[in-house]
Amino acid sequence: MNPAARRRSARPLPAHPFKPLPAAFFAAATVAVARALLGVVLVSDSPQGRTAGRIVETEAYLCDDGACHASRGPTDRNRAMFGPAGRSYTYLIYGMYHCFNVVTAAKGVGEAVLIRALEPLQGLELMARRRGSDTPLALCSGPGKLVIALGIGSLPNGSDLRKGPLVLVPPGAYPPSGGAAAQGNIKVTTRIGITKDEHLPLRFYLEGSPWISRK
DNA sequence: AAACGGATGGGCT
DNA sequence: GCCCATCCGTTTG
C-alpha cells in the first residue's frame, strides 16, 4: 500500500458525500423557508444504513400563532425552537409518535417548519422494516411515519442539520423526481390536525405529488 | 369513502 | 384532568 492510500484508509471516511444547505437558508422568514424546503432532501445515516427522502409537504408554525408550541414562551419542551435556525425540534405526540421540525428565523424567535411528508428516495427496504409496511406510499406520508422510516425519533433536540447524522441537502443531490410534482408548483392550504388558528394558510405541498399525507 | 375509537404518555392549567 | 402538529384497524353508509 502506498503512503497516500495508507493515509486515506487510516482516516475515518467523511460522514456523507453531500454538501448541506447553508445556515443562511434557515435563518429567513419561516413561511419562505417552509416553501423553500419543498424539494430538499433529508438524509439520515444510522448503523443500519442510510435512508433519504425528498420533502413534499411542510407546515409553518409562527411565534404569534396559537397552534405553535412556542407561542406562549419558552419551556423545557420547546426550547429548541428559540435556538439558532437550522437545528432540529422533535417532540412526542399522542404518547406514541414523534414529529420532526426544522427551526427557522432569528435566534430568540420561536418558529419552525414541520416536515409532514417525504418521497422515499433511498433505503426503502430499511424504511419498510422500520415501518412494518411494504407499501411505498405508506412509508413517509405523514409526520409520524417519516420519523419512524428515517429512524430519527430519538434525535436530540437542537441537533445541527448541517452536520449529521441527519442532514438537509439541496434538491439536486439526488436525481430529479418525475411526475406532476416535478414542475414544482406549490399548493397552499390550512394545516392538519390543529384546533387553534386553524384557518391560517400555512401548509405547503408540491402539487401533484402522490407522496403527501392528505389531499 | 368516510367516520370512529383505541393506543399511550408528557405537558400544561 | 384534559389536551394534543398521529396512526391504524374496524365499522358504517
Side-chain angles (χ1 to χ4, degrees):
Chain A
M1 189 185 286
N2 68 40
R6 178 177 301 280
R7 266 196 313 279
R8 273 198 303 277
S9 61
R11 194 162 35 221
L13 287 170
H16 60 76
F18 303 110
K19 182 175 169 153
L21 291 171
F25 179 95
F26 305 100
T30 299
V31 167
V33 178
R35 301 177 72 107
L37 278 170
L38 296 174
V40 163
V41 178
L42 186 57
V43 182
S44 172
D45 285 316
S46 85
Q48 310 166 274
R50 171 172 296 158
T51 48
R54 189 180 305 283
I55 297 171
V56 297
E57 179 181 348
T58 62
E59 283 177 0
Y61 285 86
L62 310 179
C63 59
D64 59 351
D65 146 21
C68 178
H69 291 169
S71 66
R72 282 168 294 280
T75 65
D76 283 344
R77 174 174 70 152
N78 68 21
R79 189 144 286 123
M81 293 183 81
F82 294 87
R87 308 295 180 95
S88 67
Y89 167 55
T90 305
Y91 65 92
L92 178 68
I93 182 75
Y94 295 110
M96 15 179 12
Y97 299 101
H98 295 269
C99 290
F100 167 73
N101 296 254
V102 177
V103 174
T104 56
K107 198 170 168 182
V109 179
E111 303 196 341
V113 173
L114 171 68
I115 307 303
R116 281 200 58 91
L118 307 174
E119 171 194 354
L121 294 176
Q122 183 176 8
L124 293 251
E125 192 176 290
L126 176 52
M127 291 186 191
R129 219 177 311 142
R130 285 168 171 160
R131 284 274 299 121
S133 166
D134 274 343
T135 311
L137 279 170
L139 293 178
C140 300
S141 53
K145 296 180 193 178
L146 70 90
V147 164
I148 295 169
L150 299 211
I152 56 177
S154 56
L155 184 79
N157 258 342
S159 295
D160 190 336
L161 300 173
R162 299 167 52 238
K163 289 188 178 153
L166 185 65
V167 191
L168 284 162
V169 304
Y174 280 76
S177 311
Q183 256 56 337
N185 293 332
I186 298 176
K187 191 90 173 164
V188 185
T189 73
T190 55
R191 295 171 293 182
I192 293 176
I194 57 167
T195 54
K196 295 170 210 148
D197 280 332
E198 66 208 49
H199 56 283
L200 298 176
L202 293 175
R203 173 174 175 248
F204 307 92
Y205 65 87
L206 290 179
E207 192 170 20
S209 173
W211 306 104
I212 62 175
S213 64
R214 296 164 44 171
K215 267 305 203 188

